[in-house]
Every structure is written in structure tokens, then in C-alpha cells.
Amino acid sequence: MAAHNIAWLVPYWRLLRLDKPIGILLLLWPTLNALWIASNGPPSLSLLLIFVMGTILMRSAGCAINDYADRDFDRYVERTRERPITSGQIAPWRALMLAVAITLFSFLLIVSLNAMTKWLALIAVLIAASYPLTKRFFALPQAYLGCAFGFGIPMAFAAVQNQLPPLAWAMLIANIFWSIAYDTEYAMVDRDDDRKIGIRTSALTFGQYDVLAIMGCYALFLLIYAAIGIALAYTLAFWLGLIGAMLCAAYHYTLIRSRERSGCFAAFRHNNWLGGVLFAGIAAHYALL
């Protein structure tokens, strides 16, 4: 009986992608990087909890908004046709209202933070909400996604330092390159379906140069972090983390070079390890000071 009573929650759980935490982690790693760097070490526990919870909530709201916006396209894509809205398990208006409710609740988390952080949070919501529309006209919607996924970076600096130094923007640019890399891998899985329905993606834009573009974006992402490591005089622990991230990127090349769907999707999912290893290097640097 108990299982039957909560069965109605399963489609909502899937709508918010809580069954697929990879998206949360891809948002969380760059946010944690920014919190540690902005704080010159571990941030306060309260600030850490605010940003972790905020990341989970805003990713969930973003998924609901994305599925609402793409409900007429998802039915034509093999990977998405069984999503809760497209398959009729959740009414579109319910998904939209849930996204609004989650967004409003997430703002309660930051009431104690400074005004700059609150304004940036509002901008972050607008970017996340408008991302699905970019797939209709923008050749590289993955770059816009990178901005959305990385907006925890300037928010972290604002919350800790009440300012946005050039370092914050450098980290955001690095995150855009990383997002283009991993989301192009993701888009390669759906390339044929996306071409049929007219969706714009970086996988279609890069065409035969998709693998080269992905590896180039990984290289730029890692080079920016190397420059940050040099500028901040980071110790060996950081460089070991960066080397680990480089090895992850090299491994991704072996997965995507044949352009098979399974390999591209595996590479996308493995980016969790790339982000985690890089953060581990940053955290270890400060822990060993």
C-alpha cells in the first residue's frame, strides 16, 4: 500500500532528473571550485550548504523548464520520448508551476546573503529559463548552457568577497569551454534526431570537426585553470589534480573518436570524474597549506 501511495511521485522525480544526479554534479564542481578559491580555503559550513542546496534546486527547476519548453520536440527524439511531460504522465502546466515553486523556494536560501549575490541569482534564473529557447536559433546553445551551469562561480565570489574580480570571470569562461566539450558529447548521441526536427546543437554545428572541437574546448578549459594555478602560486596538490583532469579528457577522446552513441554518452557521464578530480586538487592545495 505504501509503495502504491508514493508511486505518483516517480514521474516528478524523473522530471527533476533526481534519478540522474550527473547534472547536479556538473553544476556543483565549478561552484565548489569558486567557493574554495574565493574563500582562500574551505568556506563556512552555512555558505557551503546554501550553495549545495541551491545547486540541487536550480538544476531541478531547470530540468522542469527545459522539458516544458521542449515538450513538442522530445517525442521525436529516441532518448527523450518517454520523459514525463512528453509521455503524458505530467501535465505541462504542473511542470511549469513546480519549476516556479522550486525557484521561489531556492531564493529563500539566499535571503541572508548580500545584495550582489541576490541580483546575480536573479540573472542566473533568467539565463537558465531562457536556455531551452537558444536551441531554436543559436548555433552553439552549449555555450549558453555553460554560462547557466557556471553562474554559481560569480555568485560564490559575490557571496564571499562582495565583488567580482577578473578571476571569477576567467573561471566562468573556463566553465563555458568545459560545458561545450561535455554537452557536445551529449549532443552527439542525439545528432540524427536533432537534425530531423531542426534543433540547433554544437554537434551539428561542428559537423565532422566535432571531436577536434571537443578536445580543443577541453584544452582551453584546462589551460585557463593552469594559468589560475600559476597566478595563485598553487602547490603540487593542485597540479596533480589538474593532471588527473587532463588524463580524464584524454580518456574521453578514446570514447568519442568513433562517434558511437554509447561511447559519447559514457564520455559525457565521465565528466563528473574530471570535475571531481580538479576540485580535489584545489581542495587539497588549501588543506595542505
Side-chain angles (χ1 to χ4, degrees):
M1 181 66 71
H4 178 74
N5 289 338
I6 65 171
W8 67 274
L9 289 174
V10 173
Y12 290 93
W13 188 265
R14 291 178 53 233
L15 172 71
L16 303 180
R17 306 286 201 284
L18 294 174
D19 58 326
K20 298 176 179 178
I22 178 65
I24 294 172
L25 294 167
L26 292 176
L27 271 86
L28 190 59
W29 294 130
T31 303
L32 293 179
N33 291 345
L35 281 173
W36 256 252
I37 293 174
S39 303
N40 200 31
S44 67
L45 180 58
S46 61
L47 199 60
L48 179 60
L49 290 174
I50 286 172
F51 273 85
V52 170
M53 286 301 301
T55 297
I56 295 171
L57 290 172
M58 287 313 301
R59 189 261 183 167
S60 298
C63 289
I65 292 172
N66 182 79
D67 284 11
Y68 174 82
D70 288 352
R71 62 192 185 279
D72 293 328
F73 293 100
D74 283 347
R75 70 186 63 182
Y76 301 108
V77 178
E78 179 181 349
R79 184 181 49 80
T80 61
R81 61 170 57 109
E82 294 302 320
R83 284 180 173 174
I85 297 178
T86 305
S87 61
Q89 298 175 70
I90 297 177
W93 70 269
R94 289 183 182 273
L96 187 60
M97 290 301 100
L98 180 59
V100 171
I102 292 173
T103 301
L104 292 175
F105 181 75
S106 68
F107 270 97
L108 296 178
L109 293 173
I110 62 172
V111 292
S112 62
L113 302 183
N114 58 46
M116 180 182 290
T117 308
K118 293 172 183 173
W119 279 111
L120 288 172
L122 180 60
I123 295 172
V125 169
L126 295 175
I127 293 174
S130 57
Y131 160 68
L133 301 178
T134 63
K135 290 180 283 187
R136 275 71 165 170
F137 64 89
F138 187 33
L140 290 176
Q142 281 70 18
Y144 198 85
L145 178 72
C147 188
F149 268 38
F151 222 74
I153 294 170
M155 287 182 62
F157 275 89
V160 174
Q161 301 182 1
N162 200 26
Q163 63 174 343
L164 295 175
L167 177 57
W169 300 114
M171 291 179 67
L172 179 59
I173 292 170
N175 196 75
I176 290 173
F177 283 121
W178 184 34
S179 297
I180 293 174
Y182 66 65
D183 208 55
T184 300
E185 293 169 344
Y186 192 68
M188 287 167 74
V189 176
D190 299 330
R191 182 179 356 225
D192 294 338
D193 291 328
D194 289 339
R195 182 183 290 113
K196 291 176 184 177
I197 60 180
I199 289 289
R200 308 295 296 273
T201 74
S202 54
L204 292 173
T205 299
F206 293 141
Q208 62 180 322
Y209 302 107
D210 49 3
V211 175
L212 178 62
I214 288 169
M215 299 313 299
C217 286
Y218 275 133
L220 290 169
F221 162 63
L222 294 168
L223 280 171
I224 292 174
Y225 266 94
I228 291 171
I230 293 171
L232 299 181
Y234 276 166
T235 52
L236 179 62
F238 166 79
W239 295 104
L240 290 176
L242 187 66
I243 290 171
M246 291 178 179
L247 292 175
C248 286
Y251 171 59
H252 295 176
Y253 172 74
T254 68
L255 294 173
I256 66 173
R257 61 186 176 185
S258 64
R259 297 179 173 85
E260 294 181 0
R261 287 190 174 195
S262 59
C264 292
F265 191 63
F268 163 74
R269 290 177 57 85
H270 195 265
N271 276 277
N272 169 48
W273 292 100
L274 190 157
V277 167
L278 181 59
F279 168 69
I282 293 172
H285 160 76
Y286 288 109
L288 296 173
L289 287 180

mmCIF file of all heavy atoms in Angstrom, residues 181-224:
data_model
loop_
_atom_site.group_PDB
_atom_site.id
_atom_site.type_symbol
_atom_site.label_atom_id
_atom_site.label_comp_id
_atom_site.label_asym_id
_atom_site.label_seq_id
_atom_site.Cartn_x
_atom_site.Cartn_y
_atom_site.Cartn_z
ATOM 1 N N ALA A 181 32.406 21.201 -24.307
ATOM 2 C CA ALA A 181 33.021 19.885 -24.520
ATOM 3 C C ALA A 181 32.074 18.765 -24.110
ATOM 4 O O ALA A 181 31.745 17.875 -24.918
ATOM 5 C CB ALA A 181 34.337 19.793 -23.751
ATOM 6 N N TYR A 182 31.616 18.792 -22.855
ATOM 7 C CA TYR A 182 30.813 17.640 -22.405
ATOM 8 C C TYR A 182 29.410 17.637 -22.988
ATOM 9 O O TYR A 182 28.830 16.571 -23.231
ATOM 10 C CB TYR A 182 30.808 17.498 -20.880
ATOM 11 C CG TYR A 182 30.137 18.567 -20.054
ATOM 12 C CD1 TYR A 182 28.774 18.811 -20.119
ATOM 13 C CD2 TYR A 182 30.880 19.294 -19.116
ATOM 14 C CE1 TYR A 182 28.162 19.768 -19.316
ATOM 15 C CE2 TYR A 182 30.283 20.247 -18.308
ATOM 16 C CZ TYR A 182 28.927 20.475 -18.404
ATOM 17 O OH TYR A 182 28.317 21.420 -17.607
ATOM 18 N N ASP A 183 28.827 18.800 -23.260
ATOM 19 C CA ASP A 183 27.469 18.768 -23.798
ATOM 20 C C ASP A 183 27.463 18.490 -25.296
ATOM 21 O O ASP A 183 26.448 18.055 -25.838
ATOM 22 C CB ASP A 183 26.734 20.074 -23.490
ATOM 23 C CG ASP A 183 25.226 19.865 -23.394
ATOM 24 O OD1 ASP A 183 24.815 19.005 -22.587
ATOM 25 O OD2 ASP A 183 24.477 20.530 -24.129
ATOM 26 N N THR A 184 28.587 18.735 -25.969
ATOM 27 C CA THR A 184 28.692 18.300 -27.359
ATOM 28 C C THR A 184 28.754 16.784 -27.415
ATOM 29 O O THR A 184 28.150 16.153 -28.304
ATOM 30 C CB THR A 184 29.926 18.918 -28.039
ATOM 31 O OG1 THR A 184 29.824 20.348 -28.008
ATOM 32 C CG2 THR A 184 30.030 18.462 -29.495
ATOM 33 N N GLU A 185 29.469 16.171 -26.458
ATOM 34 C CA GLU A 185 29.463 14.711 -26.365
ATOM 35 C C GLU A 185 28.033 14.202 -26.188
ATOM 36 O O GLU A 185 27.630 13.218 -26.817
ATOM 37 C CB GLU A 185 30.334 14.265 -25.187
ATOM 38 C CG GLU A 185 31.816 14.543 -25.383
ATOM 39 C CD GLU A 185 32.628 14.356 -24.116
ATOM 40 O OE1 GLU A 185 32.036 14.304 -23.011
ATOM 41 O OE2 GLU A 185 33.864 14.273 -24.220
ATOM 42 N N TYR A 186 27.287 14.886 -25.340
ATOM 43 C CA TYR A 186 25.890 14.527 -25.091
ATOM 44 C C TYR A 186 25.062 14.714 -26.357
ATOM 45 O O TYR A 186 24.226 13.867 -26.703
ATOM 46 C CB TYR A 186 25.369 15.412 -23.960
ATOM 47 C CG TYR A 186 24.045 15.011 -23.371
ATOM 48 C CD1 TYR A 186 23.909 13.841 -22.629
ATOM 49 C CD2 TYR A 186 22.924 15.823 -23.507
ATOM 50 C CE1 TYR A 186 22.702 13.488 -22.054
ATOM 51 C CE2 TYR A 186 21.711 15.481 -22.939
ATOM 52 C CZ TYR A 186 21.603 14.312 -22.211
ATOM 53 O OH TYR A 186 20.404 13.957 -21.646
ATOM 54 N N ALA A 187 25.298 15.829 -27.058
ATOM 55 C CA ALA A 187 24.523 16.124 -28.267
ATOM 56 C C ALA A 187 24.845 15.165 -29.397
ATOM 57 O O ALA A 187 24.002 14.933 -30.284
ATOM 58 C CB ALA A 187 24.794 17.561 -28.717
ATOM 59 N N MET A 188 26.024 14.573 -29.394
ATOM 60 C CA MET A 188 26.382 13.610 -30.434
ATOM 61 C C MET A 188 25.497 12.369 -30.365
ATOM 62 O O MET A 188 25.286 11.697 -31.377
ATOM 63 C CB MET A 188 27.861 13.233 -30.299
ATOM 64 C CG MET A 188 28.808 14.349 -30.734
ATOM 65 S SD MET A 188 30.530 14.054 -30.245
ATOM 66 C CE MET A 188 30.990 12.771 -31.407
ATOM 67 N N VAL A 189 24.960 12.085 -29.176
ATOM 68 C CA VAL A 189 24.065 10.946 -29.012
ATOM 69 C C VAL A 189 22.763 11.174 -29.785
ATOM 70 O O VAL A 189 22.194 10.236 -30.361
ATOM 71 C CB VAL A 189 23.768 10.711 -27.516
ATOM 72 C CG1 VAL A 189 22.759 9.587 -27.323
ATOM 73 C CG2 VAL A 189 25.058 10.419 -26.749
ATOM 74 N N ASP A 190 22.303 12.432 -29.808
ATOM 75 C CA ASP A 190 21.004 12.762 -30.412
ATOM 76 C C ASP A 190 21.130 13.420 -31.786
ATOM 77 O O ASP A 190 20.148 13.949 -32.307
ATOM 78 C CB ASP A 190 20.222 13.698 -29.491
ATOM 79 C CG ASP A 190 19.921 13.078 -28.140
ATOM 80 O OD1 ASP A 190 19.773 11.845 -28.083
ATOM 81 O OD2 ASP A 190 19.835 13.825 -27.147
ATOM 82 N N ARG A 191 22.315 13.416 -32.359
ATOM 83 C CA ARG A 191 22.559 14.220 -33.556
ATOM 84 C C ARG A 191 21.557 13.939 -34.672
ATOM 85 O O ARG A 191 20.992 14.862 -35.264
ATOM 86 C CB ARG A 191 23.982 13.974 -34.056
ATOM 87 C CG ARG A 191 24.281 14.836 -35.264
ATOM 88 C CD ARG A 191 25.680 14.712 -35.849
ATOM 89 N NE ARG A 191 26.607 13.879 -35.164
ATOM 90 C CZ ARG A 191 27.878 14.233 -34.922
ATOM 91 N NH1 ARG A 191 28.293 15.445 -35.254
ATOM 92 N NH2 ARG A 191 28.710 13.395 -34.343
ATOM 93 N N ASP A 192 21.314 12.674 -34.972
ATOM 94 C CA ASP A 192 20.414 12.344 -36.086
ATOM 95 C C ASP A 192 18.995 12.838 -35.820
ATOM 96 O O ASP A 192 18.340 13.392 -36.725
ATOM 97 C CB ASP A 192 20.411 10.833 -36.326
ATOM 98 C CG ASP A 192 21.760 10.325 -36.815
ATOM 99 O OD1 ASP A 192 22.536 11.132 -37.355
ATOM 100 O OD2 ASP A 192 22.036 9.113 -36.636
ATOM 101 N N ASP A 193 18.502 12.644 -34.590
ATOM 102 C CA ASP A 193 17.154 13.104 -34.247
ATOM 103 C C ASP A 193 17.072 14.623 -34.277
ATOM 104 O O ASP A 193 16.083 15.194 -34.769
ATOM 105 C CB ASP A 193 16.762 12.594 -32.863
ATOM 106 C CG ASP A 193 16.546 11.087 -32.835
ATOM 107 O OD1 ASP A 193 16.110 10.539 -33.863
ATOM 108 O OD2 ASP A 193 16.829 10.466 -31.799
ATOM 109 N N ASP A 194 18.092 15.289 -33.763
ATOM 110 C CA ASP A 194 18.093 16.756 -33.727
ATOM 111 C C ASP A 194 18.102 17.344 -35.131
ATOM 112 O O ASP A 194 17.461 18.369 -35.401
ATOM 113 C CB ASP A 194 19.309 17.271 -32.941
ATOM 114 C CG ASP A 194 19.202 17.006 -31.446
ATOM 115 O OD1 ASP A 194 18.066 16.811 -30.970
ATOM 116 O OD2 ASP A 194 20.238 16.999 -30.767
ATOM 117 N N ARG A 195 18.819 16.694 -36.039
ATOM 118 C CA ARG A 195 18.861 17.183 -37.419
ATOM 119 C C ARG A 195 17.474 17.090 -38.059
ATOM 120 O O ARG A 195 17.049 17.996 -38.789
ATOM 121 C CB ARG A 195 19.875 16.368 -38.229
ATOM 122 C CG ARG A 195 20.025 16.855 -39.676
ATOM 123 C CD ARG A 195 20.978 15.978 -40.472
ATOM 124 N NE ARG A 195 22.365 16.147 -40.023
ATOM 125 C CZ ARG A 195 23.071 15.209 -39.410
ATOM 126 N NH1 ARG A 195 22.517 14.028 -39.139
ATOM 127 N NH2 ARG A 195 24.312 15.431 -39.066
ATOM 128 N N LYS A 196 16.748 16.021 -37.770
ATOM 129 C CA LYS A 196 15.424 15.833 -38.359
ATOM 130 C C LYS A 196 14.420 16.882 -37.892
ATOM 131 O O LYS A 196 13.577 17.348 -38.674
ATOM 132 C CB LYS A 196 14.897 14.437 -38.006
ATOM 133 C CG LYS A 196 15.639 13.301 -38.675
ATOM 134 C CD LYS A 196 15.110 11.965 -38.186
ATOM 135 C CE LYS A 196 15.885 10.793 -38.760
ATOM 136 N NZ LYS A 196 15.411 9.496 -38.222
ATOM 137 N N ILE A 197 14.490 17.244 -36.605
ATOM 138 C CA ILE A 197 13.465 18.143 -36.056
ATOM 139 C C ILE A 197 13.896 19.607 -36.062
ATOM 140 O O ILE A 197 13.123 20.483 -35.674
ATOM 141 C CB ILE A 197 13.082 17.726 -34.619
ATOM 142 C CG1 ILE A 197 14.287 17.779 -33.691
ATOM 143 C CG2 ILE A 197 12.469 16.347 -34.621
ATOM 144 C CD1 ILE A 197 13.962 17.389 -32.261
ATOM 145 N N GLY A 198 15.127 19.887 -36.495
ATOM 146 C CA GLY A 198 15.558 21.273 -36.643
ATOM 147 C C GLY A 198 16.111 21.929 -35.404
ATOM 148 O O GLY A 198 16.206 23.168 -35.343
ATOM 149 N N ILE A 199 16.507 21.134 -34.411
ATOM 150 C CA ILE A 199 17.123 21.681 -33.204
ATOM 151 C C ILE A 199 18.585 22.032 -33.500
ATOM 152 O O ILE A 199 19.280 21.285 -34.190
ATOM 153 C CB ILE A 199 17.049 20.664 -32.035
ATOM 154 C CG1 ILE A 199 15.612 20.541 -31.548
ATOM 155 C CG2 ILE A 199 17.964 21.056 -30.887
ATOM 156 C CD1 ILE A 199 15.105 21.751 -30.814
ATOM 157 N N ARG A 200 19.056 23.154 -32.988
ATOM 158 C CA ARG A 200 20.448 23.551 -33.175
ATOM 159 C C ARG A 200 21.291 23.014 -32.024
ATOM 160 O O ARG A 200 20.930 23.185 -30.863
ATOM 161 C CB ARG A 200 20.564 25.083 -33.225
ATOM 162 C CG ARG A 200 19.643 25.771 -34.203
ATOM 163 C CD ARG A 200 19.981 25.403 -35.642
ATOM 164 N NE ARG A 200 21.306 25.853 -36.032
ATOM 165 C CZ ARG A 200 21.571 27.072 -36.525
ATOM 166 N NH1 ARG A 200 20.585 27.968 -36.656
ATOM 167 N NH2 ARG A 200 22.795 27.406 -36.877
ATOM 168 N N THR A 201 22.401 22.387 -32.331
ATOM 169 C CA THR A 201 23.329 21.916 -31.308
ATOM 170 C C THR A 201 24.754 22.076 -31.806
ATOM 171 O O THR A 201 25.006 22.173 -33.020
ATOM 172 C CB THR A 201 23.110 20.424 -30.946
ATOM 173 O OG1 THR A 201 23.602 19.600 -32.009
ATOM 174 C CG2 THR A 201 21.645 20.114 -30.688
ATOM 175 N N SER A 202 25.693 22.078 -30.882
ATOM 176 C CA SER A 202 27.100 22.196 -31.260
ATOM 177 C C SER A 202 27.559 20.974 -32.054
ATOM 178 O O SER A 202 28.437 21.090 -32.917
ATOM 179 C CB SER A 202 27.962 22.361 -30.007
ATOM 180 O OG SER A 202 27.723 21.320 -29.087
ATOM 181 N N ALA A 203 26.975 19.793 -31.785
ATOM 182 C CA ALA A 203 27.356 18.594 -32.527
ATOM 183 C C ALA A 203 27.054 18.762 -34.014
ATOM 184 O O ALA A 203 27.826 18.315 -34.873
ATOM 185 C CB ALA A 203 26.629 17.377 -31.974
ATOM 186 N N LEU A 204 25.933 19.404 -34.335
ATOM 187 C CA LEU A 204 25.585 19.667 -35.732
ATOM 188 C C LEU A 204 26.435 20.803 -36.297
ATOM 189 O O LEU A 204 26.860 20.749 -37.455
ATOM 190 C CB LEU A 204 24.101 20.023 -35.838
ATOM 191 C CG LEU A 204 23.117 18.890 -35.543
ATOM 192 C CD1 LEU A 204 21.682 19.418 -35.517
ATOM 193 C CD2 LEU A 204 23.256 17.770 -36.561
ATOM 194 N N THR A 205 26.681 21.830 -35.504
ATOM 195 C CA THR A 205 27.465 22.978 -35.959
ATOM 196 C C THR A 205 28.907 22.584 -36.259
ATOM 197 O O THR A 205 29.470 22.981 -37.288
ATOM 198 C CB THR A 205 27.442 24.098 -34.907
ATOM 199 O OG1 THR A 205 26.093 24.518 -34.703
ATOM 200 C CG2 THR A 205 28.275 25.289 -35.346
ATOM 201 N N PHE A 206 29.515 21.795 -35.379
ATOM 202 C CA PHE A 206 30.898 21.383 -35.586
ATOM 203 C C PHE A 206 31.027 20.343 -36.692
ATOM 204 O O PHE A 206 32.078 20.230 -37.331
ATOM 205 C CB PHE A 206 31.492 20.821 -34.288
ATOM 206 C CG PHE A 206 31.664 21.836 -33.192
ATOM 207 C CD1 PHE A 206 31.395 21.500 -31.870
ATOM 208 C CD2 PHE A 206 32.094 23.122 -33.471
ATOM 209 C CE1 PHE A 206 31.558 22.423 -30.855
ATOM 210 C CE2 PHE A 206 32.253 24.061 -32.465
ATOM 211 C CZ PHE A 206 31.992 23.709 -31.151
ATOM 212 N N GLY A 207 29.964 19.572 -36.921
ATOM 213 C CA GLY A 207 29.970 18.592 -38.004
ATOM 214 C C GLY A 207 31.113 17.605 -37.890
ATOM 215 O O GLY A 207 31.330 16.993 -36.853
ATOM 216 N N GLN A 208 31.891 17.459 -38.972
ATOM 217 C CA GLN A 208 32.978 16.480 -38.994
ATOM 218 C C GLN A 208 34.130 16.850 -38.079
ATOM 219 O O GLN A 208 35.016 16.030 -37.818
ATOM 220 C CB GLN A 208 33.495 16.324 -40.429
ATOM 221 C CG GLN A 208 34.090 17.598 -41.016
ATOM 222 C CD GLN A 208 34.583 17.398 -42.440
ATOM 223 O OE1 GLN A 208 35.127 16.342 -42.773
ATOM 224 N NE2 GLN A 208 34.376 18.394 -43.288
ATOM 225 N N TYR A 209 34.100 18.077 -37.571
ATOM 226 C CA TYR A 209 35.167 18.528 -36.674
ATOM 227 C C TYR A 209 34.745 18.454 -35.204
ATOM 228 O O TYR A 209 35.352 19.084 -34.343
ATOM 229 C CB TYR A 209 35.580 19.959 -37.022
ATOM 230 C CG TYR A 209 36.041 20.122 -38.448
ATOM 231 C CD1 TYR A 209 35.227 20.765 -39.379
ATOM 232 C CD2 TYR A 209 37.262 19.610 -38.868
ATOM 233 C CE1 TYR A 209 35.644 20.903 -40.705
ATOM 234 C CE2 TYR A 209 37.678 19.733 -40.186
ATOM 235 C CZ TYR A 209 36.870 20.387 -41.098
ATOM 236 O OH TYR A 209 37.282 20.511 -42.406
ATOM 237 N N ASP A 210 33.696 17.685 -34.932
ATOM 238 C CA ASP A 210 33.163 17.649 -33.578
ATOM 239 C C ASP A 210 34.178 17.152 -32.547
ATOM 240 O O ASP A 210 34.343 17.752 -31.482
ATOM 241 C CB ASP A 210 31.887 16.790 -33.531
ATOM 242 C CG ASP A 210 32.056 15.428 -34.206
ATOM 243 O OD1 ASP A 210 33.177 15.115 -34.660
ATOM 244 O OD2 ASP A 210 31.060 14.686 -34.286
ATOM 245 N N VAL A 211 34.881 16.066 -32.855
ATOM 246 C CA VAL A 211 35.861 15.522 -31.909
ATOM 247 C C VAL A 211 36.996 16.511 -31.685
ATOM 248 O O VAL A 211 37.434 16.742 -30.545
ATOM 249 C CB VAL A 211 36.410 14.170 -32.407
ATOM 250 C CG1 VAL A 211 37.522 13.663 -31.492
ATOM 251 C CG2 VAL A 211 35.279 13.140 -32.483
ATOM 252 N N LEU A 212 37.465 17.117 -32.755
ATOM 253 C CA LEU A 212 38.527 18.121 -32.644
ATOM 254 C C LEU A 212 38.070 19.308 -31.802
ATOM 255 O O LEU A 212 38.823 19.807 -30.945
ATOM 256 C CB LEU A 212 38.932 18.605 -34.042
ATOM 257 C CG LEU A 212 40.002 19.705 -34.099
ATOM 258 C CD1 LEU A 212 41.315 19.210 -33.503
ATOM 259 C CD2 LEU A 212 40.208 20.172 -35.547
ATOM 260 N N ALA A 213 36.837 19.756 -32.019
ATOM 261 C CA ALA A 213 36.311 20.888 -31.255
ATOM 262 C C ALA A 213 36.188 20.546 -29.772
ATOM 263 O O ALA A 213 36.512 21.373 -28.899
ATOM 264 C CB ALA A 213 34.953 21.309 -31.812
ATOM 265 N N ILE A 214 35.725 19.343 -29.476
ATOM 266 C CA ILE A 214 35.595 18.914 -28.078
ATOM 267 C C ILE A 214 36.953 18.923 -27.393
ATOM 268 O O ILE A 214 37.112 19.470 -26.290
ATOM 269 C CB ILE A 214 34.964 17.509 -28.003
ATOM 270 C CG1 ILE A 214 33.480 17.581 -28.361
ATOM 271 C CG2 ILE A 214 35.138 16.914 -26.603
ATOM 272 C CD1 ILE A 214 32.836 16.222 -28.563
ATOM 273 N N MET A 215 37.951 18.331 -28.024
ATOM 274 C CA MET A 215 39.276 18.271 -27.415
ATOM 275 C C MET A 215 39.893 19.667 -27.302
ATOM 276 O O MET A 215 40.610 19.966 -26.329
ATOM 277 C CB MET A 215 40.187 17.340 -28.223
ATOM 278 C CG MET A 215 39.693 15.902 -28.301
ATOM 279 S SD MET A 215 39.175 15.188 -26.708
ATOM 280 C CE MET A 215 40.702 15.268 -25.770
ATOM 281 N N GLY A 216 39.590 20.532 -28.260
ATOM 282 C CA GLY A 216 40.074 21.911 -28.174
ATOM 283 C C GLY A 216 39.456 22.648 -26.998
ATOM 284 O O GLY A 216 40.139 23.414 -26.295
ATOM 285 N N CYS A 217 38.170 22.405 -26.757
ATOM 286 C CA CYS A 217 37.495 23.046 -25.617
ATOM 287 C C CYS A 217 38.036 22.522 -24.288
ATOM 288 O O CYS A 217 38.222 23.289 -23.337
ATOM 289 C CB CYS A 217 35.989 22.831 -25.706
ATOM 290 S SG CYS A 217 35.183 23.828 -26.975
ATOM 291 N N TYR A 218 38.286 21.207 -24.226
ATOM 292 C CA TYR A 218 38.924 20.655 -23.022
ATOM 293 C C TYR A 218 40.276 21.345 -22.784
ATOM 294 O O TYR A 218 40.620 21.700 -21.652
ATOM 295 C CB TYR A 218 39.153 19.155 -23.173
ATOM 296 C CG TYR A 218 37.988 18.285 -22.811
ATOM 297 C CD1 TYR A 218 37.582 17.240 -23.647
ATOM 298 C CD2 TYR A 218 37.291 18.454 -21.620
ATOM 299 C CE1 TYR A 218 36.523 16.409 -23.323
ATOM 300 C CE2 TYR A 218 36.224 17.628 -21.289
ATOM 301 C CZ TYR A 218 35.846 16.609 -22.142
ATOM 302 O OH TYR A 218 34.791 15.795 -21.813
ATOM 303 N N ALA A 219 41.052 21.503 -23.856
ATOM 304 C CA ALA A 219 42.384 22.100 -23.733
ATOM 305 C C ALA A 219 42.302 23.538 -23.214
ATOM 306 O O ALA A 219 43.069 23.932 -22.323
ATOM 307 C CB ALA A 219 43.098 22.058 -25.086
ATOM 308 N N LEU A 220 41.372 24.320 -23.739
ATOM 309 C CA LEU A 220 41.226 25.710 -23.293
ATOM 310 C C LEU A 220 40.765 25.774 -21.840
ATOM 311 O O LEU A 220 41.239 26.603 -21.063
ATOM 312 C CB LEU A 220 40.239 26.437 -24.211
ATOM 313 C CG LEU A 220 40.746 26.696 -25.634
ATOM 314 C CD1 LEU A 220 39.610 27.171 -26.531
ATOM 315 C CD2 LEU A 220 41.875 27.730 -25.616
ATOM 316 N N PHE A 221 39.835 24.903 -21.472
ATOM 317 C CA PHE A 221 39.365 24.815 -20.086
ATOM 318 C C PHE A 221 40.527 24.541 -19.134
ATOM 319 O O PHE A 221 40.713 25.232 -18.123
ATOM 320 C CB PHE A 221 38.310 23.718 -20.006
ATOM 321 C CG PHE A 221 38.009 23.193 -18.630
ATOM 322 C CD1 PHE A 221 37.467 24.010 -17.652
ATOM 323 C CD2 PHE A 221 38.250 21.856 -18.321
ATOM 324 C CE1 PHE A 221 37.175 23.512 -16.377
ATOM 325 C CE2 PHE A 221 37.953 21.351 -17.064
ATOM 326 C CZ PHE A 221 37.426 22.185 -16.084
ATOM 327 N N LEU A 222 41.330 23.554 -19.476
ATOM 328 C CA LEU A 222 42.425 23.159 -18.597
ATOM 329 C C LEU A 222 43.559 24.190 -18.616
ATOM 330 O O LEU A 222 44.218 24.410 -17.588
ATOM 331 C CB LEU A 222 42.939 21.782 -19.014
ATOM 332 C CG LEU A 222 41.926 20.643 -18.813
ATOM 333 C CD1 LEU A 222 42.384 19.378 -19.521
ATOM 334 C CD2 LEU A 222 41.688 20.378 -17.333
ATOM 335 N N LEU A 223 43.784 24.839 -19.751
ATOM 336 C CA LEU A 223 44.812 25.879 -19.825
ATOM 337 C C LEU A 223 44.463 27.079 -18.943
ATOM 338 O O LEU A 223 45.343 27.665 -18.299
ATOM 339 C CB LEU A 223 45.003 26.332 -21.280
ATOM 340 C CG LEU A 223 45.860 25.423 -22.156
ATOM 341 C CD1 LEU A 223 45.789 25.871 -23.609
ATOM 342 C CD2 LEU A 223 47.312 25.429 -21.667
ATOM 343 N N ILE A 224 43.190 27.436 -18.910
ATOM 344 C CA ILE A 224 42.773 28.545 -18.047
ATOM 345 C C ILE A 224 43.015 28.194 -16.587
ATOM 346 O O ILE A 224 43.512 29.013 -15.798
ATOM 347 C CB ILE A 224 41.298 28.912 -18.296
ATOM 348 C CG1 ILE A 224 41.135 29.517 -19.689
ATOM 349 C CG2 ILE A 224 40.797 29.900 -17.225
ATOM 350 C CD1 ILE A 224 39.697 29.774 -20.094
#
